[in-house]
Amino acid sequence: MGITRRIFMITGAAVGGGLLLGVGGVSAHLLTHNRVGVQQDAHESDDSTHINMWLRITPDNKIIVINPHTDMGQGSSTGLMQIVADELDADWSQMLVEQAPADTAYSNGKVFEGFVREMMTPPEWASTLLENGFYRMGDLMKMQMTGGSSAVRFTGWDSMRHAAAATRQMLIAAAAEKLNVAANTLTTEAGNVLHADSGRSLPYGELAAAAAVLDSPKDIQLKSREQYRYVGKPVARVDVPSKVLANEDYGIDAAVPDMQYAAIATSGVFGAQVKSIDNLDEVKAARGVSDVLIVPDGVAVVADNPWRAEKAVRTVKFTREPHDNDTLSTESLVNRQRQALSEDLTSGMTAGAPDDIQTTVNAEYLVPYLAHASLEPMNATVWQQDGKLHVIGGVQNPLLARARAAKEAGLDLDDVVFQARQMGGGFGRRVAFSMSDDEPLNWLIQAVRIAVDTGKPVKTTWSRETDTRSDVYRPMVMAQFEGALADDGKPSLWRSRSYGKEMNIKAVAPPYKIPNLAVSYADLPHPVPTGFWRSVEHSQHGYFVESFIDELAISAGVDPLQYRLNLLDENSPAAQVLLKVAEMSGWRSGADNQGRAMGVALVHSFGSTVAQVVEASLTPSGPKAHRVWCAVDCGVPVNPQAIEAQVQGSVHYALSAALYGKCDLKDGGVVQSNFHDYRIVSMRDAPRVEVELLPLGSPVGGVGEIGVPPLAPALCNALTVLDGKRRRVLPLV
Amino acid sequence: MIKLNVNGVEHSLDIEPDMPLLWALREETALRGTKFGCGIGMCGACTVHIDGDPIRSCSYPVSAAVGKEINTIESIGTADAPHAVQRAWIEHQVPQCGYCQSGMQMAAVALLNTNPQPSDEDIDNAMTNLCRCGTYDRIRAAIKTAAKELV
Ligand code: FES
Ligand code: FES
């Protein structure tokens, strides 16, 4: 499905009955200037210029925001609509949102750009070049990703805000021409351009066609924070009612004519393929079973009901190709990591003269591989129709998923139609994009193979067991620390070594002022498939760093919260959130008379800063978190109630990992299989979580992941207060 | 033939007696609001009511449901006439991904039917469904709001 030129026509009815508004020009701020080239490359016949993919305005004055991210309930659709409504002076009742098609013309380089800029600061002269480059890259890499908490802060704040503001100015210019008055006599309100002197008003819908052919303004006027009517307000999320009424179709709910169902059994060893199916006739004899076939990483059974398929696939006996991973175990992997840390390491960050100082506090930490365990198991529905391959799936990167499906089927991108559906959780599992050789879309590849090889319309659904054992896991990481204290108790040295390539060394280094610092890592891969897991490297390194700083505080005999403050600039967001969380929690450093104690942690991630205090106790069945307080600096809080929900949800997600989460390796595969041995916190385990957002004037930060990293260290720090034991290995139960 | 009464409608289905109710509902009667999360009775995404009691349909054979009243999320409320639980769910903006929420609401409706003023402890005992997105704070608040409304 190529996007036809019609979509990009500047005049007339575009697909969907709206009008794409052009925002072009060569503004360093605008994301759109280089889309023209990209889109023209994608559609040779397209000679139109000023094009913007974010906004459409319909003749009946609806503003349609085109979201190049997939909303998994984090509220990005609503957040983007709020930003656009404010900059455009639109009324909320006019606002609609659509998911961007999985098309190259809607690739999103802004996400890339945001990440790279977060890790390095390019010189000013390189900025425009870079921006162009990122869009080219986004195009080439089929980047349409939702991940890294990027939707609102990069796509929304950096791009759509400017695009909407420019559009408003263009609508005014179009109105000025039409009414034959000066532009500065016009104002905008609730989706209309107003001419106060004559009392005339023109709805945007009537101006869009004329506005679309204008040059975008060089000087874009953005609203000030005082002028916002929607940004910063607790707006009800647009996706909530249909979810509550169960009217939402998830990938797993796909239904197409004559659909069959596939279930998968994994080979059991990462990377090992199945050589032969040894009881084919027996499996095929089961009711409803039509096909039994070898697929990448396992075998599939196709039947006329998902339960029949699953039941049958569990009876398949197969022979596996031998593989290097056959003997892989957690023990062998732990040893491998420890060995690696004693060998040559890559230096990530060095300051001062770390080698001169005698260390006094030493610690080794270890966190396991973790599955994402989104509640909807991975699934995809694939069929062939009218010469095209059709795919329905829930992914965090529809464009890349479409490209992978095409590659697997040996087709051109244009011969694959991809429908992105609602996802029952993502948490990074469905990002589709990988920093390693591992294939995060492994379920989609299987689904495509099955549909192509059988020639049938097939919905492939993983069982929970297959889902748990075929993930791209959060990496297991070992980290070793050495510290020394100066006479005033402050750290005089911090040295760390950790396993795994670190793209973002800022995530590994402490956020504190420490004169001598040496952060290094073993740049080595994992034999187990790895991927992005909510908050990525912050989830491990936040735990390490914030545990070790607590160890230093204790050895200095200083209150851990005060100790952190002593190492921060007084006015920094980090110090501010710490002070706030102390106030919220009524911070105290000892245990109370009910046997409860508090622990604190502070982590900066995805452009936001979070301090958490966990109040915990030790019960006969293990540690219990009773309450969690979170003080958050995420810059402008676009939708405070959605942010609160994200932080609360992150706390529970992280608590599951801290208490229970582990994927053990044995004989080359994962031992855990379902929620009985890969436990998730339930209502009973869930602490009450209070969230406050601080108005510190920081740039807009991400919110979907930032609540995860501080939880484990804050919990462990609290438990140490109770029994003096330092918990350096997760999970706790 | 297995005869099932689902949301007041009789279905006569050519299925095995040991087929879990979940798969009969989703694929044989096309009621897909009831979700699959684990298949072993752990997560509650598949919660439906049998004669008013919440059960986990992934682990409940259709043979056991014969002659009983089965109710799914589709029968609880509509956009025009949402159930008090659904109104509270919207007011508190409970769902994130939303995948667990039909099961959560079925569990909450069943709880409030038998215990109109549940304590926190009652909520902990009854709401054993799992939410991977971690919407527990708001589920608890929404149940309390719905309880007030139902008085
Ligand atoms: S799917 Fe039935 S309890 Fe999880
Ligand atoms: S809202 Fe996503 S699993 Fe509960």
Side-chain angles (χ1 to χ4, degrees):
Chain A
M1 174 191 69
I3 286 198
T4 61
R5 178 179 147 67
R6 221 152 67 83
I7 279 200
F8 295 109
M9 296 273 286
I10 294 302
T11 56
V15 171
L19 198 63
L20 273 158
L21 260 187
V23 180
V26 245
S27 158
H29 293 295
L30 267 184
L31 85 150
T32 43
H33 59 281
N34 45 9
R35 299 306 298 180
V36 179
V38 171
Q39 288 167 352
Q40 278 170 350
D41 287 352
H43 313 281
E44 280 160 31
S45 62
D46 195 331
D47 56 359
S48 51
T49 45
H50 310 293
I51 297 296
N52 171 23
M53 60 194 177
W54 306 129
L55 294 177
R56 267 200 347 250
I57 299 180
T58 65
D60 63 346
N61 215 11
K62 293 283 184 224
I63 316 282
I64 302 169
V65 175
I66 300 172
N67 186 357
H69 294 273
T70 44
D71 192 337
M72 297 163 278
Q74 72 276 41
S76 66
S77 292
T78 311
L80 297 175
M81 289 164 76
Q82 289 173 269
I83 291 169
V84 169
D86 267 343
E87 286 300 344
L88 204 50
D89 271 342
D91 189 74
W92 194 249
S93 62
Q94 291 178 273
M95 300 302 298
L96 295 170
V97 67
E98 268 176 20
Q99 167 95 52
D103 196 282
T104 318
Y106 294 87
S107 75
N108 186 1
K110 202 73 202 170
V111 172
F112 260 151
E113 185 184 347
F115 290 138
V116 172
R117 283 183 198 268
E118 192 164 72
M119 292 181 224
M120 58 171 232
T121 313
E124 198 51 39
W125 59 264
S127 253
T128 307
L129 275 178
L130 260 181
E131 197 170 7
N132 270 300
F134 283 116
Y135 270 92
R136 290 285 177 193
M137 232 160 98
D139 204 31
L140 287 171
M141 297 189 65
K142 309 284 180 265
M143 182 57 115
Q144 202 181 44
M145 186 186 77
T146 299
S149 299
S150 56
V152 169
R153 65 179 176 138
F154 295 154
T155 306
W157 204 251
D158 289 358
S159 305
M160 287 197 187
R161 190 165 61 112
H162 293 83
T167 301
R168 190 183 73 89
Q169 287 165 255
M170 290 154 71
L171 288 162
I172 289 177
E177 202 162 301
K178 197 159 180 180
L179 298 173
N180 202 14
V181 297
N184 62 11
T185 64
L186 297 172
T187 56
T188 49
E189 197 185 304
N192 295 287
V193 179
L194 309 177
H195 185 240
D197 296 350
S198 65
R200 284 177 292 179
S201 99
L202 286 169
Y204 291 169
E206 285 178 25
L207 294 165
V213 295
L214 297 175
D215 281 343
S216 73
K218 298 274 176 290
D219 177 22
I220 293 174
Q221 281 145 22
L222 295 167
K223 291 260 154 66
S224 69
R225 291 183 187 190
E226 298 71 49
Q227 292 173 297
Y228 293 145
R229 292 155 306 135
Y230 302 111
V231 169
K233 305 288 183 330
V235 173
R237 273 173 33 225
V238 294
D239 54 317
V240 164
S242 65
K243 286 175 176 172
V244 168
L245 295 162
N247 288 336
E248 202 64 67
D249 262 354
Y250 294 81
I252 204 169
D253 302 327
V256 298
D258 301 322
M259 185 168 74
Q260 302 294 299
Y261 303 84
I264 304 284
T266 56
S267 78
V269 172
F270 289 116
Q273 301 304 322
V274 170
K275 191 161 70 182
S276 63
I277 296 169
D278 305 332
N279 60 343
L280 197 59
D281 294 342
E282 187 190 321
V283 181
K284 272 196 162 168
R287 176 172 172 186
V289 172
S290 58
D291 304 85
V292 184
L293 60 161
I294 295 172
V295 292
D297 305 325
V299 296
V301 168
V302 180
D304 59 358
N305 176 288
W307 171 70
R308 294 188 189 116
E310 185 60 37
K311 202 173 151 185
V313 87
R314 289 174 191 232
T315 67
V316 174
K317 296 193 175 70
F318 57 81
T319 306
R320 189 172 55 216
E321 305 271 8
H323 194 278
D324 285 351
N325 282 343
D326 280 345
T327 56
L328 216 57
S329 68
T330 298
E331 204 187 4
S332 66
L333 290 167
V334 168
N335 291 338
R336 183 190 298 205
Q337 291 207 5
R338 190 173 286 121
Q339 178 65 30
L341 296 190
S342 70
E343 290 166 3
D344 265 358
L345 299 177
T346 306
S347 174
M349 197 184 268
T350 318
D355 291 337
D356 296 357
I357 301 162
Q358 185 66 39
T359 62
T360 53
V361 188
N362 302 306
E364 182 185 275
Y365 292 85
L366 181 69
V367 295
Y369 290 106
L370 290 178
H372 296 76
S374 64
L375 199 56
E376 178 196 18
M378 297 304 111
N379 64 82
T381 302
V382 186
W383 72 102
Q384 296 168 80
Q385 188 187 327
D386 305 330
K388 305 241 186 219
L389 189 78
H390 295 252
V391 183
I392 294 177
V395 290
Q396 291 174 247
N397 194 336
L399 178 56
L400 184 57
R402 180 178 166 215
R404 283 299 287 116
K407 191 173 164 210
E408 186 61 28
L411 297 170
D412 290 339
L413 190 67
D414 281 350
D415 292 327
V416 175
V417 181
F418 193 94
Q419 293 179 42
R421 282 284 172 88
Q422 194 61 242
M423 284 171 273
F427 314 114
R429 175 63 184 92
R430 306 176 196 248
V431 158
F433 170 75
S434 173
M435 303 298 285
S436 63
D437 294 337
D438 305 315
E439 175 53 80
L441 288 172
N442 45 358
W443 83 90
L444 185 85
I445 304 289
Q446 290 175 339
V448 168
R449 273 274 47 95
I450 294 164
V452 169
D453 289 354
T454 64
K456 293 174 181 156
V458 182
K459 171 155 68 185
T460 299
T461 305
W462 278 0
S463 64
R464 173 59 51 194
E465 289 77 7
T466 298
D467 194 271
T468 306
R469 290 175 171 167
S470 311
D471 208 331
V472 281
Y473 301 84
R474 183 193 76 167
M476 175 173 97
V477 179
M478 176 180 282
Q480 296 171 343
F481 288 79
E482 294 164 19
L485 301 181
D487 292 343
D488 60 2
K490 289 184 181 175
S492 55
L493 165 72
W494 177 289
R495 184 184 289 136
S496 75
R497 294 178 285 269
S498 56
Y499 188 91
K501 184 177 190 63
E502 285 309 338
M503 298 287 290
N504 180 6
I505 204 69
K506 282 186 196 165
V508 184
Y512 304 107
K513 285 187 280 184
I514 296 172
N516 299 290
L517 191 69
V519 175
S520 57
Y521 58 90
D523 182 1
L524 293 167
H526 291 265
V528 172
T530 56
F532 303 115
W533 190 93
R534 198 174 192 175
S535 83
V536 199
E537 62 272 73
H538 296 284
S539 85
Q540 302 107 333
H541 292 282
Y543 165 64
F544 302 146
V545 167
E546 283 299 294
S547 294
F548 192 63
I549 194 76
D550 233 64
E551 296 204 40
L552 296 181
I554 289 172
S555 105
V558 178
D559 172 84
L561 198 144
Q562 187 58 49
Y563 193 73
R564 287 170 170 83
L565 284 172
N566 294 346
L567 303 174
L568 293 165
D569 286 329
E570 216 175 314
N571 297 316
S572 63
Q576 297 301 310
V577 293
L578 272 174
L579 287 168
K580 185 62 176 184
V581 84
E583 178 196 316
M584 289 167 69
S585 62
W587 171 258
R588 53 161 204 278
S589 43
D592 71 3
N593 54 18
Q594 295 174 60
R596 294 183 184 189
M598 291 181 179
V600 67
L602 165 78
V603 178
H604 179 84
S605 64
F606 307 97
S608 298
T609 311
V610 180
Q612 278 179 13
V613 166
V614 174
E615 185 180 52
S617 68
L618 285 161
T619 74
S621 57
K624 177 160 175 68
H626 299 273
R627 296 184 71 181
V628 179
W629 295 268
C630 310
V632 176
D633 171 31
C634 59
V636 179
V638 174
N639 190 350
Q641 69 89 1
I643 297 171
E644 180 197 58
Q646 284 303 302
V647 175
Q648 289 174 330
S650 294
V651 163
H652 302 310
Y653 196 85
L655 184 61
S656 295
L659 291 177
Y660 314 124
K662 65 172 167 177
C663 287
D664 292 316
L665 271 290
K666 190 167 174 263
D667 300 332
V670 163
V671 175
Q672 285 73 15
S673 62
N674 205 322
F675 293 129
H676 66 289
D677 57 4
Y678 193 73
R679 280 177 69 187
I680 301 304
V681 299
S682 65
M683 183 76 91
R684 180 177 291 286
D685 309 322
R688 307 291 194 279
V689 185
E690 279 165 51
V691 180
E692 276 200 48
L693 311 176
L694 275 64
L696 300 181
S698 309
V700 174
V703 301
E705 309 174 75
I706 58 174
V708 172
L711 187 278
L715 172 63
C716 293
N717 294 341
L719 299 174
T720 302
V721 175
L722 295 171
D723 66 1
K725 280 195 211 134
R726 176 54 57 180
R727 288 161 177 80
R728 298 195 183 96
V729 180
L730 294 180
L732 299 175
V733 176
Chain B
M1 282 291 177
I2 298 276
K3 287 194 173 22
L4 295 179
N5 182 320
V6 187
N7 303 335
V9 178
E10 290 288 344
H11 295 265
S12 193
L13 305 172
D14 175 19
I15 54 176
E16 301 87 325
D18 60 337
M19 179 182 283
L21 180 58
L22 171 66
W23 299 113
L25 291 172
R26 283 182 55 84
E27 307 301 346
E28 307 292 328
T29 72
L31 291 167
R32 295 196 172 87
T34 306
K35 302 300 188 209
F36 164 66
C38 69
I40 59 166
M42 289 293 298
C43 75
C46 62
T47 304
V48 300
H49 294 173
I50 299 268
D51 290 341
D53 294 331
I55 61 102
R56 299 200 167 172
S57 63
C58 70
S59 309
Y60 195 92
V62 287
S63 56
V66 173
K68 297 182 178 156
E69 273 179 38
I70 304 162
N71 278 95
T72 69
I73 186 72
E74 286 86 354
S75 70
I76 294 301
T78 61
D80 296 332
H83 189 277
V85 160
Q86 292 177 315
R87 283 197 297 275
W89 245 244
I90 291 171
E91 181 187 329
H92 288 274
Q93 296 277 295
V94 172
Q96 288 185 28
C97 84
Y99 194 75
C100 70
Q101 299 295 346
S102 69
M104 286 287 181
Q105 293 181 84
M106 292 306 279
V109 169
L111 167 65
L112 292 170
N113 282 345
T114 53
N115 180 354
Q117 295 300 314
S119 65
D120 279 328
E121 181 66 21
D122 296 336
I123 292 174
D124 285 346
N125 287 335
M127 300 298 292
T128 55
N129 296 18
L130 300 178
C131 174
R132 186 55 166 151
C133 298
T135 60
Y136 299 118
D137 302 83
R138 291 185 179 192
I139 289 173
R140 188 184 296 279
I143 290 175
K144 290 180 180 174
T145 296
K148 275 197 207 110
E149 221 192 292
L150 285 168
V151 181

